[in-house]
Amino acid sequence: MGRLVLGVLCADAPQQDLTRTDVAVVRLDPDDATPWADLATGATHAVVLGERRHELAVRHHAALAADLGLAVAWRATLLGPLALVAAARYTAQNAASVGLAPAVLDAAVAALWNGAWVPKVARLDHPAPSLAQHLRSWLPVPGGYLVTLTGEPRVERVTSARAAAAGRRGHLLHSEGALPAAARDLAQDRSGAADVTAVAGFDRPAAARFGPGAVELVALPETVGPPAPGPHVACPACGAEVPAGFCPYCRVRRAETAHAGAEA
């Protein structure tokens, strides 16, 4: 069956406590790759997840895990730190097996809405603000800006409160911080979330990614849907039950052919 370490690179964020028999979600520091000697104990597989700006660190962590004998998959995305942790926790709760965890993670990342409220746009590079937004953010203009990272990335000025759209996703989570009511309502409208909940401990990661005073927001559907319908077969290299034809850890293709040949 195997045991998976699902590591999220997110400096200064609280350690995640969601652990089940075969999956453990852990926080990794982009600047510290030392914990793998302990994390690899009893583990067979690892998924390393991080922001695109930390891709080199993601690759480094993945290489260290592989050097210790784990079968490894890694992902570097443009999502923010709170969104990565939300996707990892969803994966740990919903992946039926270690082999399906990467597919569940990819489905969660594709389905969630991620954004941030920022008082100024000076620290943004994706999506890139317009020149007018850069100039305007130097002035004491109330409201700030809502940044959308998923779907069609954009930066829009928050001008006034509006009625939220009917809920299409479960909860809108946001890091702690001074989130204006108008920004909260606009984010709820854009994400389609049914309600809004604050998450403690992510104020510093949000500021590091989006700038001082930023508040990250993420909405994930309660049900993402089956990411990898059967049949599932055992990878001939690492033994994980994976979607037929490809192992996301070992990159072994036509796994069902190799499996069938072994039985013959």
Side-chain angles (χ1 to χ4, degrees), residues 4-11 13 16 24-30 36 39 46-63 65 72-92 101-110 112 114 209 216 218 220 249:
L4 171 68
V5 175
L6 208 170
V8 185
L9 270 70
C10 187
Q16 297 304 300
V25 179
V26 300
R27 183 187 65 79
L28 301 173
D29 191 325
W36 280 103
L39 294 177
V47 175
V48 182
L49 178 64
E51 300 174 51
R52 183 71 56 83
R53 66 193 178 111
H54 293 148
E55 181 171 338
L56 288 178
V58 170
R59 289 173 176 264
H60 188 200
H61 275 276
V72 181
W74 62 269
R75 303 287 188 273
T77 81
L78 291 169
L79 300 179
L82 179 58
L84 295 181
V85 170
R89 290 180 64 86
Y90 180 91
T91 300
V104 174
L105 176 63
D106 291 341
V109 167
L112 62 76
N114 187 207
R209 169 68 187 273
E216 186 183 355
V218 57
L220 184 66
Y249 297 100

Side-chain angles (χ1 to χ4, degrees), residues 29-264:
D29 191 325
D31 299 320
D32 181 10
T34 60
W36 280 103
D38 294 328
L39 294 177
T41 302
T44 58
H45 294 71
V47 175
V48 182
L49 178 64
E51 300 174 51
R52 183 71 56 83
R53 66 193 178 111
H54 293 148
E55 181 171 338
L56 288 178
V58 170
R59 289 173 176 264
H60 188 200
H61 275 276
L64 290 175
D67 286 345
L68 292 170
L70 277 64
V72 181
W74 62 269
R75 303 287 188 273
T77 81
L78 291 169
L79 300 179
L82 179 58
L84 295 181
V85 170
R89 290 180 64 86
Y90 180 91
T91 300
Q93 291 168 329
N94 293 278
S97 68
V98 167
L100 293 180
V104 174
L105 176 63
D106 291 341
V109 167
L112 62 76
W113 178 91
N114 187 207
W117 175 81
V118 296
K120 296 181 180 296
V121 299
R123 289 282 299 275
L124 291 179
D125 55 7
H126 177 84
S130 67
L131 177 60
Q133 288 172 333
H134 267 296
L135 295 175
R136 188 180 297 116
S137 72
W138 285 100
L139 303 174
V141 178
Y145 299 85
L146 182 69
V147 181
T148 298
L149 300 176
T150 51
E152 182 180 347
R154 58 179 170 176
V155 180
E156 55 186 315
R157 184 181 171 191
V158 178
T159 55
S160 61
R162 66 190 70 196
R168 300 186 300 274
R169 291 179 170 87
H171 306 284
L172 179 68
L173 307 176
H174 70 84
S175 58
E176 289 181 311
L179 180 65
R184 179 201 62 210
D185 292 344
L186 179 58
Q188 195 170 356
D189 177 74
R190 294 289 183 257
S191 67
D195 52 45
V196 184
T197 305
V199 180
F202 283 89
D203 51 333
R204 292 177 64 182
R209 169 68 187 273
F210 302 105
V215 176
E216 186 183 355
L217 308 109
V218 57
L220 184 66
E222 292 182 352
T223 302
V224 171
H232 302 147
V233 298
C235 170
C238 72
E241 291 289 326
V242 298
F246 179 78
C247 176
Y249 297 100
C250 304
R251 274 68 72 181
V252 174
R253 293 193 178 276
R254 304 305 298 172
E256 76 280 12
T257 301
H259 191 57
E263 292 178 347

